[in-house]
Amino acid sequence: MALGLLVRLAAEGPSQASPVNSLPIPPLLEGEELDLRIQKGELELPFGTSDSLGYNGEYLGPTIRAEKGDLVSFRIANEIDEPTTVHWHGMHLPAEYDGGPHQVIPAGETWRPGFRIRQNAATLWYHPHLMGKTAEHVYRGLAGLFIIEDDYSRSLPIPREYGVNDIPLILQDRRVDRDGRIRYAPRGRDVMHGYLGNIMLVNGAYEPSLELPQGTYRFRILNGSNSTIMRLAFESGRPFTVIASDGGFLPESVRVERLVLSPGERYEILVDFDRRGEDALLSEIYGGSTMQAMSFSVTSEEGKSYAHPEGFRYDPVEPEPSSRTRNFRMETRGMGFFSINGSRMDLNRIDFEIPKNSTEVWTVDNIGMGMMNIPHSFHVHDVQFTVLSLNGSPPPPLYAGPKDTVLLYPGDRIEFALRFEEYTGIYMYHCHLLEHEDAGMMGQFMVK
């Protein structure tokens, strides 16, 4: 079904060729007091111009960068004509500043969250999380990276010059209509399988090009799509090294030729462009076609090269004899009816309580039924967790580091350990395929 949908989208999609354009690099936003303006804009593509939303700009937002230990305060002005929120995905922080559906910013008002960075170096991101409107607001452009650095990350011999050899890549598939515009107008099938696109954007640009001197590059990759699962590879078959996942560095780096990301997942990779020539990053869509995300042009100029580290410091979350266990069943019972443990999201219901400073073990099953055999993902707010097993076996190497979002294909079972400390309040857990989340595949827990 997904394949047929993508074929139809490709047939209806834009036919106009795009000119070569350079990869945009989101500007850095640093400091103790930061301003974000949620505003309307226009996204200009070779096919036409679309209405959009952005943070401090027309589409997407700046890359926020902070140090572990920093106290960061925000002034977030909502300048659009509807309410929204700003959720700090992957951040360990007080519940009142989480930015979930309880922290609504009404139109015309300003939200002033502030929190201390209390976690290790990682590539996180921020995006809206308004009840029932998350998918639309993200789709229209509200997203940005949030990079945390610490003493350990700055001591490592790896690329760290932002925008030069340490480069963010926000990948998003988008659907362009015959008139060349991007709109968000899901129907029943789109809710079931996700609002799949017929083009790929990287940092808000269509098929951008990046010219590079020879050397080693670090790419911080976010799958910022609503519901599309991507398998990334270089057209040349070039191998690369994965050094970090959602919440920070892996215990051991992983050499691969392909990388699967579900929506909301992040990976950091090291790539050697060691000779002059051309290459491209391709994205194979789950159950569908392959799109070119962007191209690379490597010049004869020599840049900086780095050895790829074999491993990094990582302190996993270890289950304790007293750890409580919880089970979660992600089910699709009918067209557009999604639930966790038989329930759909209700802001007035707390699904369970967790004692502060406790460690738990959660098991999540993707229950597939006939035509309802579809992938899901599972994201937990406030914490980074350690995967203990996948389908009864030790976790794959890419899941051996700190995670906050995991992918479950139909029939998958994943087990992970989480520790809840320092903060109390209400946090969320949900499928991060955003159409599923908005349709009710979400719950909430209270740490107390």
Side-chain angles (χ1 to χ4, degrees), residues 188-220:
R189 180 177 291 184
D190 297 321
V191 175
M192 179 67 67
H193 297 284
Y195 201 67
L196 307 181
N198 51 10
I199 66 166
M200 186 69 63
L201 301 181
V202 184
N203 296 350
Y206 174 65
E207 293 190 354
S209 176
L210 183 60
E211 186 176 281
L212 300 169
Q214 297 174 38
T216 305
Y217 293 85
R218 177 186 186 180
F219 295 101
R220 300 175 187 258

Side-chain angles (χ1 to χ4, degrees), residues 3 38-39 41 136 178 233 263 292 302 319 338 353 363-364 404:
L3 176 59
I38 305 168
Q39 58 191 84
E136 179 182 346
R178 287 186 178 275
Q292 176 173 304
E302 292 189 8
F338 302 95
E353 295 181 351
T363 300
V364 183
D404 57 53

